[in-house]
């Protein structure tokens, strides 16, 4: 993506399309001449919009005479409505969607906004909408390659936009990893991907624990979940040293179940098809580290993922098994489909013990119950430190990746009690309080009073069935922008 800021007049910019964003309060002085050249097309449309109910309305004028651009888009927003940052992002998303598609097929777009302070959010929405998963299609979609903002040169805006591009490109990477076939993006691929992605980075060190190392460390949880698969289980750790040497790191942990067939408790038809997305936590962790490297964030970060395939096979682990985890705790496998927590139990233990981070934040498509609770609009957050949860929730609001806190009260411990082991990987019948049970299980693998920990269940937000304003169906990249916002605030 190429970005420019120019103060050129709308008439002379030689882009495929120009988007003009104004309010329905009336024609701004600066556009009087432009409107005249268009025989009053802008003011006529504004009249149409003066009493509108919608948040915004748009028209596209093809081949406007006396203009250098091939298309002119007028977007009008409603002064009678309440606007927040997200509404402006959505407007940006709309611009991309309209100009990218159909008859317009713009490759280069110039944007003029009456409100200069909207530019940042407009471009963010534009960029987030400028991704299509067409890897397996013979006919490729049109994407915008160049954005030019028609405003005064402004170093701070330029810097902000460069940062935005760096972040959103990592969001694309996250989406692409998730959307791709699980046959391709398997544990072996994911481990190699990390090694390739960070090759040659001086302040990044990658460690891959394969089956032999996992066995040596008795990480029997991750080993059990992956034992029915052709692909070796792996823990990948990315150490990024952007801060002082010896300074304690912050750790991000991701669930990397590359395909979740459910194991011997096999998922029924209608519940399995999306399960290539069960490594969304891992993809987010990779992408967050990718941003950290690009932006040279001045802190030390550990990114860790547990990679497995939860397959149905003669070698699969059994419902009813008791497993002694790496930490020494025993778990009863009530259901092989509650595999994410079994994998993460070992990864969380490994990271806390080996790297002694100040904070651990894990991202996991852990439960379907979070969808029952919040649908696809919001993720669940739980943890042992209220300040950390509040900070993450604030970052969630900042970037519109919203989090809602669930309780971790002590009486929920009962739900995951087992008759024959220290803890069970499922909770109450009918999946009651299922998301909390997931969090409660994980809590067993964090040392109380030692590490600040938050668990973010992205089961509902990582992969959409319904198209959003600037996100197509499929992978969203949820967690990347949220975590980057939080890391930058530390
Ligand atoms: N990966 C799933 C959770 C999931 C389901 C995420 C749908 C996104 C969309 C997880 O491994 C799982 O199967 N969880 C079970 C747990 C149950 C067996 C206790 C669930 O949520 O049904
Ligand atoms: Zn599962
Ligand atoms: Zn799963």
């Amino acid at each position: 993506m190429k970005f420019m800021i120019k103060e050129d007049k709308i008439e002379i910019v030689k882009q495929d399309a120009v988007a003009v964003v104004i309010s329905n309060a009336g024609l701004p002085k600066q556009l009087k001449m432009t409107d005249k050249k268009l025989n009053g097309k802008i003011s006529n449309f504004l009249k149409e919009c003066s009493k509108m109910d919608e948040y915004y309305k748009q028209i596209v004028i093809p081949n406007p005479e006396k203009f250098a651009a091939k298309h002119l888009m007028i977007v009008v927003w409603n002064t009678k409505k309440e606007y927040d940052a997200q509404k402006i992002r959505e407007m940006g998303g709309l611009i991309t969607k309209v100009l990218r598609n159909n008859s317009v097929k713009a490759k280069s777009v110039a944007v003029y906004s009456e409100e200069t302070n909207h530019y940042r959010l407009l471009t963010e929405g534009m960029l987030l909408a400028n991704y299509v998963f067409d890897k397996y299609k013979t006919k490729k979609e049109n994407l915008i390659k160049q954005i030019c903002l028609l405003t005064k040169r402004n170093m701070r805006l330029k810097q902000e936009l460069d940062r935005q591009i760096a972040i959103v490109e990592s969001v694309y990477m996250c989406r692409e990893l998730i959307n791709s076939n699980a046959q391709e993006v398997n544990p072996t691929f994911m481990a190699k991907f990390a090694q390739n992605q960070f090759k040659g980075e001086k302040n990044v060190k990658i460690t891959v624990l394969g089956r032999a190392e996992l066995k040596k460390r008795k990480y029997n949880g991750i080993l059990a979940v992956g034992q029915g698969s052709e692909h070796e289980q792996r823990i990948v750790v990315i150490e990024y040293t952007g801060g002082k040497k010896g300074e304690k790191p912050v750790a991000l942990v991701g669930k990397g179940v590359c395909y979740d067939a459910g194991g011997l408790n096999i998922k029924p038809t209608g519940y399995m098809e999306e399960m290539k997305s069960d490594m969304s936590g891992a993809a987010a962790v990779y992408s967050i580290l990718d941003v950290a490297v690009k932006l040279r964030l001045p802190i030390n970060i550990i990114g860790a993922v547990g990679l497995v395939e939860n397959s149905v096979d003669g070698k699969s682990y059994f419902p009813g098994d008791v497993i002694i985890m790496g930490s020494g705790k025993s778990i009863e496998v009530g259901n092989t489909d509650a595999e994410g927590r079994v994998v993460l139990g070992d990864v969380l233990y490994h990271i806390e013990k080996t790297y002694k981070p100040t904070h651990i934040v894990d991202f996991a498509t852990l439960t379907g119950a979070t969808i029952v609770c919040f649908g696809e609009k919001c993720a669940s957050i739980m943890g042992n430190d209220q300040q950390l949860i509040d900070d993450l929730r604030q970052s969630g609001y900042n970037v519109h990746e919203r989090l809602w806190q669930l309780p971790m009260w002590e009486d929920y411990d009962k739900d995951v009690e087992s008759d024959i082991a220290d803890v069970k990987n499922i909770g109450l019948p009918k999946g009651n309080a299922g998301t909390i049970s997931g969090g409660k299980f994980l809590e067993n693998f964090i040392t109380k009073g030692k590490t600040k920990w938050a668990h973010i269940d992205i089961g509902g937000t990582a992969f959409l069935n319904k198209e959003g304003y600037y996100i197509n169906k499929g992978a969203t990249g949820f967690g990347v922008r949220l975590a980057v916002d939080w890391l930058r605030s530390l």
Side-chain angles (χ1 to χ4, degrees):
M1 174 66 66
K2 237 180 99 184
F3 243 124
M4 289 172 297
I5 301 177
K6 280 186 182 172
E7 221 188 335
D8 288 352
K9 279 209 150 38
I10 291 164
E11 288 86 325
I12 66 158
V13 282
K14 277 206 197 91
Q15 311 280 333
D16 291 340
V18 182
V20 177
V21 185
I22 48 180
S23 81
N24 66 347
L27 190 70
K29 271 205 305 284
Q30 311 90 282
L31 295 185
K32 288 246 156 81
M33 280 302 289
T34 311
D35 184 47
K36 218 177 220 167
K37 284 190 186 153
L38 281 166
N39 300 322
K41 281 209 173 97
I42 302 182
S43 42
N44 285 343
F45 185 58
L46 269 175
K47 246 176 244 153
E48 223 178 275
C49 295
S50 63
K51 293 214 168 68
M52 69 180 178
D53 253 348
E54 300 92 332
Y55 274 91
Y56 29 72
K57 247 180 155 160
Q58 85 278 359
I59 48 161
V60 177
I61 304 167
N63 303 311
E65 264 182 69
K66 303 175 198 143
F67 284 76
K70 284 181 237 149
H71 288 86
L72 197 61
M73 178 181 184
I74 315 286
V75 188
V76 178
W77 53 274
N78 193 345
T79 49
K80 298 264 159 30
K81 295 269 183 187
E82 275 200 28
Y83 280 82
D84 57 8
Q86 182 58 9
K87 279 278 168 290
I88 317 291
R89 284 192 200 98
E90 286 171 9
M91 203 146 54
L94 176 83
I95 295 175
T96 294
K97 271 197 199 169
V98 170
L99 296 181
R100 194 162 63 62
N101 286 335
N102 311 329
S103 49
V104 184
K105 285 198 170 33
K107 288 205 165 20
S108 57
V109 174
V111 182
Y112 170 85
S113 169
E114 192 183 359
E115 293 280 342
T116 341
N117 55 1
H118 285 179
Y119 277 119
R120 189 178 66 81
L121 294 161
L122 283 171
T123 54
E124 192 176 14
M126 285 183 75
L127 290 171
L128 286 167
N130 198 33
Y131 168 86
V132 197
F133 182 60
D134 59 5
K135 180 168 157 182
Y136 303 130
K137 286 196 169 187
T138 44
K139 192 172 158 281
K140 303 297 177 197
E141 301 276 340
N142 178 64
L143 289 175
I144 295 169
K145 297 265 164 20
Q146 184 180 307
I147 297 176
C148 176
L149 302 184
L150 301 177
T151 184
K152 275 206 189 70
R153 265 178 209 277
N154 171 341
M155 272 316 285
R156 272 191 54 192
L157 183 61
K158 175 81 173 80
Q159 273 172 1
E160 171 79 33
L161 297 181
D162 287 342
R163 185 163 51 227
Q164 234 174 47
I165 294 182
I167 295 170
V168 177
E169 278 176 352
S170 299
V171 171
Y172 297 161
M173 175 179 113
C174 183
R175 292 178 183 172
E176 196 76 6
L177 280 171
I178 298 167
N179 283 329
S180 294
N181 278 344
Q183 291 289 350
E184 180 188 344
V185 182
N186 54 48
T188 316
F189 175 98
M190 281 291 278
K192 280 200 193 121
F193 186 91
Q195 285 166 326
N196 276 334
Q197 185 65 22
F198 299 102
K199 201 158 59 201
E201 293 295 345
K202 275 200 263 12
N203 45 5
V204 177
K205 185 180 157 206
I206 309 273
T207 311
V208 178
L209 305 184
R211 190 173 278 167
E213 288 91 343
L214 297 173
K215 277 194 178 148
K216 217 161 50 197
R217 292 165 198 264
K218 302 195 172 71
Y219 289 163
N220 298 322
I222 185 170
L223 282 166
V225 174
Q227 74 190 34
S229 162
E230 289 294 309
H231 294 280
E232 258 190 40
Q233 312 84 333
R234 288 193 160 92
I235 291 178
V236 174
V237 181
I238 307 165
E239 284 171 75
Y240 165 73
T241 338
K244 293 194 197 79
K245 261 228 169 91
E247 201 170 67
K248 279 190 174 181
V250 166
L252 305 166
V253 171
K255 169 176 172 181
V257 176
C258 295
Y259 197 75
D260 182 10
L264 292 183
N265 292 113
I266 189 169
K267 284 185 185 292
T269 299
Y271 291 84
M272 202 192 289
E273 294 77 358
E274 265 178 32
M275 283 301 125
K276 64 177 182 184
S277 67
D278 213 19
M279 36 59 81
S280 294
V285 167
Y286 279 9
S287 306
I288 298 160
L289 269 291
D290 192 48
V291 177
V293 170
K294 285 190 281 185
L295 299 187
R296 301 174 194 277
L297 295 186
I299 46 171
N300 296 336
I301 310 173
I302 300 292
V305 303
L307 303 168
V308 291
E309 241 173 44
N310 189 21
S311 305
V312 189
D313 188 87
K315 296 198 295 295
S316 296
Y317 75 136
F318 297 151
D321 279 351
V322 172
I323 299 169
I324 314 294
M325 301 284 283
S327 73
K329 277 204 176 153
S330 63
I331 66 153
E332 178 188 350
V333 179
N335 190 315
T336 60
D337 196 11
E339 81 298 337
R341 62 199 76 179
V342 179
V343 171
L344 287 179
D346 276 339
V347 182
L348 291 173
Y349 169 76
H350 176 67
I351 294 306
E352 188 185 69
K353 189 185 80 168
T354 315
Y355 302 96
K356 302 182 174 56
T358 53
H359 304 70
I360 299 181
V361 179
D362 76 71
F363 292 90
T365 46
L366 211 69
T367 65
T370 184
I371 312 176
V372 177
C373 231
F374 300 122
E376 299 185 332
K377 293 184 180 67
C378 170
S380 302
I381 183 167
M382 289 141 273
N384 64 11
D385 186 81
Q386 196 54 44
Q387 187 62 52
L388 173 61
I389 292 170
D390 291 344
D391 291 348
L392 286 163
R393 290 196 62 216
Q394 182 56 52
S395 287
Y397 279 122
N398 294 346
V399 304
H400 203 72
E401 293 186 338
R402 293 165 298 179
L403 306 173
W404 203 262
Q405 183 178 2
L406 297 181
M408 290 283 271
W409 296 313
E410 202 186 296
D411 34 351
Y412 282 108
D413 286 333
K414 275 212 166 44
D415 298 2
V416 290
E417 267 177 11
S418 161
D419 294 334
I420 54 171
D422 298 336
V423 58
K424 196 167 58 179
N425 81 331
I426 55 169
L428 296 173
K430 295 196 228 150
N432 285 352
T435 304
I436 298 174
S437 295
K440 272 293 169 188
F441 179 94
L442 294 180
E443 197 182 39
N444 282 280
F445 300 92
I446 300 283
T447 313
K448 241 195 194 136
K450 184 173 168 193
T451 315
K452 294 172 182 168
W453 163 68
H455 159 56
I456 301 180
D457 191 335
I458 56 173
T461 55
F463 196 88
L464 300 187
N465 282 296
K466 194 167 173 291
E467 185 172 331
Y469 285 98
Y470 49 65
I471 306 183
N472 291 321
K473 284 186 191 178
T476 59
F478 189 100
V480 179
R481 288 161 59 246
L482 159 79
V484 170
D485 188 87
W486 176 66
L487 290 170
R488 287 185 63 209
S489 76
L490 290 178

